[in-house]
Amino acid sequence: MAPLQSWVDVDPKSHFSIYNIPFGIISTAEDKKPRPAIAIGDYAIDLKAFTAGNGFSALSTIQPYQSVFSEPTLNAFAALTREYHTIVREYLQSVLLNGGPFPEVLQRNFDLRKKAIIPLEKCENHMPMKIGDYTDFYAGLNHAHNVGTLFRGEENALQPNYTHMPVGYHGRASSVVVSGTPIQRPNGQILENHNAEVKQPILSPSRKLDFELELGCFVCANSDMGDVIRIEDAPDYLFGVVLMNDWSARDIQAWEYQPLGPVHSKNFGTSISPWVVLMDALEPFAANGIPTDTKPLPYLDEKKRQSHFDIDLSVSITTHDGKTTTVSQTTAKNLLFSFPQMLAHHTIGGCPFNVGDLLGSGTISGRADNEKGCLLEMNGNGQKEVQLAGGEKRIYLEDYDEVAISGVCGSEPGALVGFGECSGTLEPAAELKFS
Amino acid sequence: MAPLQSWVDVDPKSHFSIYNIPFGIISTAEDKKPRPAIAIGDYAIDLKAFTAGNGFSALSTIQPYQSVFSEPTLNAFAALTREYHTIVREYLQSVLLNGGPFPEVLQRNFDLRKKAIIPLEKCENHMPMKIGDYTDFYAGLNHAHNVGTLFRGEENALQPNYTHMPVGYHGRASSVVVSGTPIQRPNGQILENHNAEVKQPILSPSRKLDFELELGCFVCANSDMGDVIRIEDAPDYLFGVVLMNDWSARDIQAWEYQPLGPVHSKNFGTSISPWVVLMDALEPFAANGIPTDTKPLPYLDEKKRQSHFDIDLSVSITTHDGKTTTVSQTTAKNLLFSFPQMLAHHTIGGCPFNVGDLLGSGTISGRADNEKGCLLEMNGNGQKEVQLAGGEKRIYLEDYDEVAISGVCGSEPGALVGFGECSGTLEPAAELKFS
């Protein structure tokens, strides 16, 4: 089947085909005020300008809510409910469709085209959502198994709770940043010798700076304290998905994490991709996750619904000399629990949710050597070097390394549904002096 | 020295003497819009009405910022910086002082008195701050020691990191609620037999519902990602202190917490007292915390500054028959790390802060039996019953138990600086059916 085509020129390899229509927040040199947009090919459609130019004139249901497209985040749009996400996305698809039903809205409206269609290279991306709370799960079974094996041996790799619930921790919302934001190597307490009799930490820049390949999912509806979101209703609470890099300082983590979990080893920066791919765009790529023998408790039972996504993921490292190496290629199917399961579990005790809350998947790794989602797994806890282009080697990241995560659904040229990139460059630690 | 007296009638035992002037958010039956207020004796002074009635006419420095007193939270007032907290609090003290310099502002302004002075019993309290991120520490050394002893024996009670850094975890901001909000017993995964060969959890209402006696401290200034708040500057980032009950489901916690820390065992509800006692009001009660042989790393070294507070704390349980028992009496000096140390540690890696962020102290326990800050310590992990009035006994909380935390500085009648109460009644778990 020949794919649908847009009258906007879209490279067949673009992540932002007409099948996608992801939403983000942009600003430009001419208008520095952050505002909603969608991406198509190498262009953004500025939804504030589109709205001002009567772009939604043919969509009566959205008329009372058009102010959501003048907001500095997508929260108000997200809060309209999934029904409206569907309506708006499909309308924008039909506006952009070659031979579509609304050529006068944009295609033949040259004044509006000039105002609303902006090359992506002229756009600055901003955080798509104002995040309330952020919870990072640990649902990548292969990752949990690999890391558990390194620290506790293969027999005890997974904690007994692991296959029964999506294990996770509350993360820090304030340090979630949009792709492209530099990440500063954190200073923190590290213990140089964990086997020493006297355990005296030092304050030092982290020497074991890692990335973690994850997905993030934004919540689009509120729930009150005491409300339980049932597994079959959970999809209505999900807005869309982004790529996520949960930068991690392994040495700070090793010293701090007992008994209450990771804090400073994670809260110096978490990067997300700027374009939120809506759940509707992902649904054609629904897939099963990792099978398990553990029968889920009924509140987590999705009754065989395919609630994972077949997203091809990759991670590359670009060193200071500009040479790029792909260090991992895997798939988002490598998760044990889905976002609906995470939300059903998160609310089973009545924890309230707000629009804009973020769920992280946990690190996604495959089983093969070239499918690992972080350096800790690749280097076997510091035991081997990772080879990069140009003869460079890494155990952990060095200053000025850029890590870029990419993710895309599908393979048909012109019909890709992708996330673009989630990237960040590691900058040197702050030089601190204390007396 | 005879204490200063207000022309407002203040009971000598009131927590809200003229020496205090705590800030909160109230609404009334006549005006349901939440707005800032201060408390004095058994009255609130409605600061929105006070402002509208030119109450700040004698304080020129606050004129450009008076809109902060029409906001639904204290965030905008907090953001004015500590200098303004001092000026506003001292001005309000002088307005309320018997024989003070500004009798015409309120004392003799009967029209404004009628509008702005409201009996506390007619006020509904609301969350004083909009919380961005919430981090709960574990700085109560006696608590950590007692709990560690129960689970790992006295030899290994404290993890090696414990005395070197304020250990903590990221908490859930969305479930922090104001005193008086009912707390629903959470459902969650629990493991009935932790020693069983096959570990099969069930979904059940928590059977081990506990309270935790804590202090909370609100942040009043932003820091950017990468900023380090130095220990000597940390006090400028602190707005004020509240009492906190970090309700905890011990059975959910025991099953979920490895390896990433507590999540669902905590995020069903965290109660705080409604009136924020400003740092200025607490400073006369500055005290040392728990001494330690561990020399702090320089970034945590307060150079012997007294940064803890001599707050008498107590916890009572009121059972369904209305009988109240004080189950614990201790002091806030029972902390190893102070709020400035927590903030200095939290930002050492560059984690950003926002106005309204909340720091929790961790459970505060003394060493004696009647000084323990949670039931887990009192019952020795389920080994003994706690005796209550009227012949009632508790291992953990029962439905309809009300837990109330109280805290007060000083003992001179008419000069107390107290927090009032942080209370909550436990309601039965939601009845859930899944098929």
Side-chain angles (χ1 to χ4, degrees):
Chain A
M1 187 184 78
L4 301 177
Q5 293 224 325
S6 174
W7 50 265
V8 176
D9 185 36
V10 179
D11 186 298
K13 291 180 191 162
S14 172
H15 283 195
F16 306 140
S17 76
I18 193 167
Y19 291 83
N20 192 347
I21 315 290
F23 286 69
I25 296 289
I26 61 159
S27 68
T28 50
E30 291 73 32
D31 182 358
K32 292 188 187 308
K33 217 171 161 188
R35 56 205 186 267
I38 56 167
I40 176 110
D42 291 327
Y43 298 91
I45 311 285
D46 177 339
L47 291 179
K48 188 178 170 190
F50 182 77
T51 305
N54 291 316
F56 286 108
S57 54
L59 188 67
S60 61
T61 46
I62 200 70
Q63 307 286 333
Y65 309 111
Q66 290 192 73
S67 65
V68 302
F69 299 119
S70 301
E71 295 281 328
T73 68
L74 296 173
N75 291 49
F77 171 57
L80 292 181
T81 75
R82 274 198 70 171
E83 206 179 338
Y84 282 88
H85 312 159
T86 301
I87 291 168
V88 170
R89 176 173 163 274
E90 291 183 353
Y91 173 71
L92 291 169
Q93 276 179 320
S94 64
V95 164
L96 293 166
L97 186 67
N98 204 11
F102 307 115
E104 73 290 351
V105 168
L106 191 61
Q107 185 176 11
R108 293 190 201 144
N109 184 341
F110 290 93
D111 181 51
L112 186 53
R113 282 174 70 150
K114 206 169 151 189
K115 288 175 179 158
I117 304 182
I118 307 169
L120 285 178
E121 62 189 15
K122 292 196 173 176
C123 296
E124 185 179 348
N125 284 111
H126 301 267
M127 278 291 285
M129 304 282 277
K130 165 81 178 151
I131 301 173
D133 279 289
Y134 154 49
T135 305
D136 195 21
F137 286 91
Y138 192 53
L141 182 139
N142 298 318
H143 167 74
H145 180 269
N146 291 341
V147 170
T149 301
L150 288 171
F151 292 112
R152 289 181 298 274
E154 188 151 10
E155 276 295 276
N156 303 305
L158 298 179
Q159 303 282 352
N161 57 17
Y162 188 82
T163 60
H164 293 283
M165 66 163 74
V167 168
Y169 63 98
H170 294 132
R172 180 88 187 172
S174 70
S175 51
V176 180
V177 295
V178 74
S179 175
T181 307
I183 301 294
Q184 191 172 47
R185 182 186 296 272
N187 288 285
Q189 282 196 25
I190 65 174
L191 191 64
E192 291 185 292
N193 179 1
H194 277 262
N195 299 319
E197 185 76 17
V198 177
K199 294 188 167 40
Q200 176 59 53
I202 60 167
L203 178 66
S204 165
S206 170
R207 301 163 186 176
K208 297 186 176 177
L209 212 293
D210 204 351
F211 61 83
E212 288 191 335
L213 164 61
E214 301 200 18
L215 294 183
C217 187
F218 282 107
V219 167
C220 63
N222 295 335
S223 67
D224 289 334
M225 198 159 107
D227 286 355
V228 172
I229 300 175
R230 299 179 72 94
I231 189 97
E232 62 269 28
D233 300 328
D236 290 340
Y237 287 78
L238 303 179
F239 179 52
V241 174
V242 290
L243 306 172
M244 194 162 98
N245 182 348
D246 179 28
W247 305 84
S248 298
R250 300 300 180 194
D251 39 6
I252 296 173
Q253 188 172 0
W255 173 235
E256 75 167 359
Y257 93 108
Q258 285 291 10
L260 297 175
V263 184
H264 302 88
S265 52
K266 302 279 192 176
N267 68 22
F268 58 94
T270 305
S271 305
I272 63 169
S273 55
W275 296 101
V276 182
V277 178
L278 300 196
M279 302 316 288
D280 277 2
L282 290 171
E283 263 173 17
F285 306 96
N288 290 316
I290 297 177
T292 167
D293 292 337
T294 304
K295 190 175 153 50
L297 285 169
Y299 80 98
L300 290 175
D301 191 349
E302 295 191 278
K303 316 249 200 248
K304 301 189 177 168
R305 180 175 175 272
Q306 292 188 314
S307 59
H308 293 264
F309 301 107
D310 189 359
I311 308 170
D312 288 328
L313 298 166
S314 68
V315 185
S316 69
I317 296 175
T318 302
T319 50
H320 60 94
D321 56 6
K323 290 191 172 134
T324 299
T325 312
T326 299
V327 294
S328 183
Q329 286 187 292
T330 185
T331 160
K333 293 187 289 183
N334 277 319
L335 290 168
L336 186 61
F337 291 102
S338 68
F339 289 118
Q341 286 176 309
M342 293 175 204
L343 197 56
H345 180 63
H346 210 315
T347 61
I348 191 67
C351 177
F353 267 77
N354 292 300
V355 173
D357 286 351
L358 178 63
L359 306 171
S361 65
T363 307
I364 302 171
S365 295
R367 298 174 70 95
D369 271 356
N370 60 349
E371 287 187 280
K372 293 174 173 172
C374 66
L375 288 170
L376 172 65
E377 287 173 79
M378 294 182 201
N379 67 33
N381 193 22
Q383 296 310 300
K384 51 178 186 271
E385 290 173 325
V386 177
Q387 305 295 322
L388 301 183
E392 294 269 341
K393 297 166 183 177
R394 292 287 181 277
I395 294 185
Y396 287 103
L397 296 171
E398 294 189 5
D399 290 347
Y400 306 111
D401 283 351
E402 182 190 45
V403 177
I405 296 174
S406 182
V408 63
C409 300
S411 56
E412 194 175 354
L416 303 183
V417 172
F419 294 79
E421 221 176 61
C422 171
S423 70
T425 298
L426 188 62
E427 298 200 335
E431 283 185 47
L432 299 177
K433 277 189 187 153
F434 296 93
S435 56
Chain B
M1 187 184 75
L4 301 177
Q5 292 224 326
S6 175
W7 50 265
V8 176
D9 185 37
V10 179
D11 186 296
K13 290 182 191 162
S14 173
H15 282 196
F16 305 139
S17 75
I18 192 167
Y19 291 83
N20 192 346
I21 315 291
F23 285 70
I25 296 290
I26 61 159
S27 68
T28 51
E30 291 73 33
D31 181 358
K32 294 189 185 305
K33 217 171 160 188
R35 56 204 186 266
I38 56 167
I40 176 108
D42 290 329
Y43 297 92
I45 312 285
D46 177 338
L47 292 180
K48 188 179 169 190
F50 183 77
T51 305
N54 292 317
F56 286 110
S57 53
L59 187 67
S60 61
T61 47
I62 200 71
Q63 307 286 333
Y65 309 110
Q66 290 193 72
S67 65
V68 301
F69 300 118
S70 302
E71 294 281 327
T73 68
L74 296 174
N75 291 49
F77 171 57
L80 292 181
T81 73
R82 275 198 70 171
E83 206 180 340
Y84 282 87
H85 311 161
T86 301
I87 292 168
V88 170
R89 176 173 163 275
E90 291 184 352
Y91 173 72
L92 291 170
Q93 275 179 320
S94 63
V95 165
L96 292 166
L97 186 67
N98 203 11
F102 308 115
E104 73 291 350
V105 169
L106 191 61
Q107 187 177 7
R108 296 189 199 143
N109 183 342
F110 291 93
D111 181 53
L112 186 54
R113 281 174 70 150
K114 206 169 150 189
K115 287 176 180 157
I117 304 183
I118 308 168
L120 284 178
E121 62 190 16
K122 292 195 174 176
C123 295
E124 185 180 347
N125 284 112
H126 301 269
M127 278 292 286
M129 304 282 278
K130 165 80 178 151
I131 302 173
D133 280 288
Y134 154 49
T135 303
D136 196 20
F137 287 90
Y138 192 54
L141 183 140
N142 298 317
H143 166 74
H145 180 268
N146 291 341
V147 170
T149 301
L150 288 171
F151 292 112
R152 288 181 299 273
E154 190 153 5
E155 275 296 278
N156 303 305
L158 298 178
Q159 303 283 352
N161 56 18
Y162 188 81
T163 59
H164 293 282
M165 66 163 76
V167 168
Y169 62 98
H170 295 132
R172 180 87 187 174
S174 71
S175 52
V176 180
V177 296
V178 74
S179 174
T181 308
I183 302 294
Q184 191 171 46
R185 182 186 295 274
N187 288 285
Q189 282 197 25
I190 65 174
L191 192 64
E192 292 184 291
N193 180 0
H194 277 262
N195 299 318
E197 185 76 17
V198 177
K199 295 188 168 41
Q200 176 59 52
I202 61 167
L203 178 67
S204 166
S206 169
R207 300 163 186 175
K208 298 186 176 178
L209 213 291
D210 204 351
F211 61 81
E212 287 190 335
L213 164 59
E214 302 199 17
L215 294 183
C217 186
F218 282 107
V219 168
C220 63
N222 295 334
S223 67
D224 289 334
M225 197 159 110
D227 285 355
V228 172
I229 300 175
R230 299 178 73 95
I231 189 92
E232 63 269 27
D233 300 328
D236 290 339
Y237 287 77
L238 302 180
F239 178 53
V241 173
V242 290
L243 306 172
M244 194 162 98
N245 182 347
D246 179 28
W247 304 85
S248 298
R250 301 298 181 195
D251 40 5
I252 296 174
Q253 189 173 358
W255 173 236
E256 75 168 359
Y257 91 109
Q258 286 288 13
L260 297 176
V263 183
H264 302 88
S265 53
K266 302 279 193 176
N267 68 23
F268 58 93
T270 306
S271 305
I272 62 168
S273 56
W275 297 101
V276 181
V277 178
L278 300 196
M279 303 316 289
D280 277 3
L282 291 171
E283 263 174 15
F285 307 96
N288 290 316
I290 297 176
T292 168
D293 293 337
T294 303
K295 191 174 151 51
L297 285 170
Y299 80 99
L300 290 175
D301 190 348
E302 296 191 277
K303 317 248 197 241
K304 302 190 177 167
R305 180 176 176 273
Q306 291 188 313
S307 59
H308 294 264
F309 301 106
D310 188 358
I311 308 169
D312 287 330
L313 299 166
S314 68
V315 185
S316 69
I317 297 175
T318 301
T319 51
H320 59 95
D321 56 6
K323 291 191 171 130
T324 299
T325 312
T326 299
V327 294
S328 183
Q329 287 188 290
T330 186
T331 160
K333 293 186 289 183
N334 277 319
L335 290 168
L336 186 61
F337 292 101
S338 68
F339 289 118
Q341 286 176 310
M342 293 174 204
L343 198 56
H345 180 63
H346 210 316
T347 61
I348 191 66
C351 178
F353 267 77
N354 292 300
V355 173
D357 286 350
L358 178 64
L359 305 171
S361 65
T363 307
I364 302 171
S365 294
R367 296 175 73 94
D369 271 356
N370 60 348
E371 287 187 280
K372 291 174 173 171
C374 68
L375 288 170
L376 172 66
E377 286 173 80
M378 296 182 199
N379 66 32
N381 193 21
Q383 295 309 297
K384 50 179 186 270
E385 290 173 324
V386 177
Q387 305 295 322
L388 301 184
E392 294 269 341
K393 297 166 184 176
R394 292 288 182 276
I395 293 185
Y396 286 103
L397 296 171
E398 293 189 5
D399 291 345
Y400 307 111
D401 283 352
E402 183 191 44
V403 177
I405 296 173
S406 182
V408 63
C409 300
S411 56
E412 194 175 354
L416 303 183
V417 172
F419 294 80
E421 221 176 61
C422 171
S423 70
T425 299
L426 189 62
E427 298 200 334
E431 283 186 47
L432 299 177
K433 277 189 186 153
F434 296 94
S435 57

